[in-house]
């Protein structure tokens, strides 16, 4: 019997603002064993080539509500709803309902709204106390307002559901009863909202889902309707919000780069991509898969049928075979095809929206406050640990 | 160069449409459409980049097409 315990995953961040030190060693082979917060072990696939291919591989099932699949946490079975089938053909059916709302044209039609919200929030921030806390003042409200508009959720409810979502996404930072309560509250909140929208449909995504569901029970049942509304609400803001806050903090830690951008605004998109590449907020705990067949990897290792697999987006993103000087923050990096939004049929449906929000947020902030800087040393910024999202929780800024 | 797309595998990432709006577009569902099958030579490198960037390998070029 081996006495060796596989390393803990998610890997610890390297303070203050670098990618986890552990990532420097993960590419020696195509895969490694890791220990999850639950104590279960899983196989982490680490090289770009394999990660990208496996995102599209039908031999890996996304249906992980199986008794022998590893769990991320004993106290939170996020992503493990046994009534939801996330594999094709069901997945394809639901996804095609959603993608309509996320075409480039639809996203572009939201651009003026996003800019308006960003400007309003920055006005308020300028008029408020200094230093300001960037998450509260800007990074969270911006994507919340946008996703609320898209889904048709009243923005006034945001404090309420934000609390539930925070509990929902806890891994070890809250006791299991509290996680359970947050989930129930969120489910109930959405149930009430859906009932309300059934009576008063509007031009928004939830109303559209309800319409499709009520017309044809086979496309989406009531449980699926709730599930996907919840998924879009959570995914639509927490990820973008953490990325705006934490990505900005990382950028402000490098005033030289801030000056470079301010001298040439066309660098904003590549800066956003580079921050997406190097600062994955949620590690890769959301990419749990289950092998339904044996799968050989690029170095000859075989993932055996029945293995629980995590696809390491951060491993792929710093694979030296693909990225030159992968641990360096290079805001001029060309062809930055990082894996932060996944790949294949599960590619993040909100990626284009997130990119647009991140670009607007970054440029508007640096234009409005040319001298913006961190009001505390980077080393002292607290990072959220023990949750599915691991961004900085407090980012005091001054200008 | 001829540009070919497979909308059956497209995941609606919109990456190609943002990169080359004159060459790629999306239908009502968001699935990729090729607007210009034979883009100008000056665009060829950018088209190849779009091909490499597509997360589902749904677009390709036939170099002598
Ligand atoms: S880049 Fe690929 S997946 Fe994205 S819209 Fe174009 S063809 Fe579809």
């Amino acid at each position: 019997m081996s006495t060796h315990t596989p390393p803990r995953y998610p890997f610890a961040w390297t303070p203050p603002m670098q990618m986890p030190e552990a990532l420097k060693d993960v590419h020696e082979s195509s895969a490694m064993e890791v220990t999850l917060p639950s104590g279960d072990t899983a196989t982490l696939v680490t090289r770009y080539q394999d990660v990208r291919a496996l995102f599209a591989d039908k031999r890996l099932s996304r249906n992980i509500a199986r008794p022998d699949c590893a769990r991320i946490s004993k106290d939170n079975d996020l992503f493990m709803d046994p009534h939801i089938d996330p594999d094709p053909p069901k997945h394809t059916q639901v996804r095609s309902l959603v993608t309509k709302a996320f075409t480039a044209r639809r996203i572009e039609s939201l651009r003026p709204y996003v800019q308006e919200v960003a400007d309003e929030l920055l006005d308020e921030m300028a008029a408020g106390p200094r230093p300001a806390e960037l998450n509260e003042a800007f990074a969270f409200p911006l994507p919340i307002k946008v996703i609320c508009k898209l889904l048709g959720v009243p923005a006034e409810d945001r404090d309420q559901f934000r609390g539930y979502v925070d509990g929902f996404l806890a891994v070890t930072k809250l006791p299991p009863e509290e996680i359970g309560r947050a989930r129930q509250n969120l489910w109930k909140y959405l149930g009430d909202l859906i009932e309300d929208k059934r009576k008063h449909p509007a031009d928004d995504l939830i109303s559209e889902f309800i319409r499709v569901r009520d017309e044809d029970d086979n496309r989406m049942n009531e449980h699926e309707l709730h599930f996907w509304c919840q998924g879009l609400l959570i995914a639509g803001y927490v990820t973008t919000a953490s990325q705006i806050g934490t990505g900005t903090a990382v950028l402000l830690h490098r005033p030289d780069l801030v000056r470079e951008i301010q001298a040439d605004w066309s660098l904003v998109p590549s800066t956003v991509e580079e921050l997406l590449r190097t600062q994955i907020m949620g590690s890769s705990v959301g990419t749990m898969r289950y092998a339904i067949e044996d799968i050989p990897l690029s170095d000859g290792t075989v993932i055996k049928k029945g293995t629980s697999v995590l696809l390491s987006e951060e491993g792929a993103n710093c694979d030296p075979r693909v990225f030159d000087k992968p641990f360096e923050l290079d805001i001029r990096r060309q062809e930055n095809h990082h894996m932060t939004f996944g790949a294949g049929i599960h590619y993040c449906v909100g990626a284009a929206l997130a990119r647009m929000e991140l670009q607007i947020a970054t440029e508007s902030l640096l234009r409005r406050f040319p001298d913006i800087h961190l009001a505390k040393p980077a080393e002292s910024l607290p990072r959220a640990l023990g949750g599915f999202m691991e961004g900085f929780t407090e980012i005091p800024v001054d200008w | 160069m001829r540009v070919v797309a497979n909308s059956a595998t497209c995941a609606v990432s919109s990456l190609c449409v943002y990169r080359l709006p004159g060459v790629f577009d999306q239908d009502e569902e968001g699935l990729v459409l090729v607007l210009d099958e034979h883009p100008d030579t000056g665009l060829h490198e950018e088209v190849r980049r779009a091909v490499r960037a597509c997360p589902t390998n749904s677009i390709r070029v036939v170099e002598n097409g």
Side-chain angles (χ1 to χ4, degrees), chain A residues 14-33:
Chain A
T14 306
M17 312 221 143
Q18 270 125 46
M19 297 177 91
E21 190 69 28
L23 287 173
K24 293 195 167 138
D25 303 324
V26 302
H27 302 104
E28 278 156 26
S29 57
S30 292
M32 63 189 284
E33 292 298 298

Side-chain angles (χ1 to χ4, degrees), chain B residues 4-11 32 51 54-60:
Chain B
V4 189
N6 177 5
S7 63
T9 55
C10 169
V32 61
V51 168
C54 172
T56 53
N57 302 327
S58 301
I59 44 182
R60 60 190 182 86

Side-chain angles (χ1 to χ4, degrees), chain A residues 6 31 39 45 110 126 136 139 161 242 267 283 288 300 338:
Chain A
V45 177
L110 278 171
E136 281 314 306
F161 69 71
S242 309
L267 288 172
S283 68
M288 182 75 84
H338 56 73

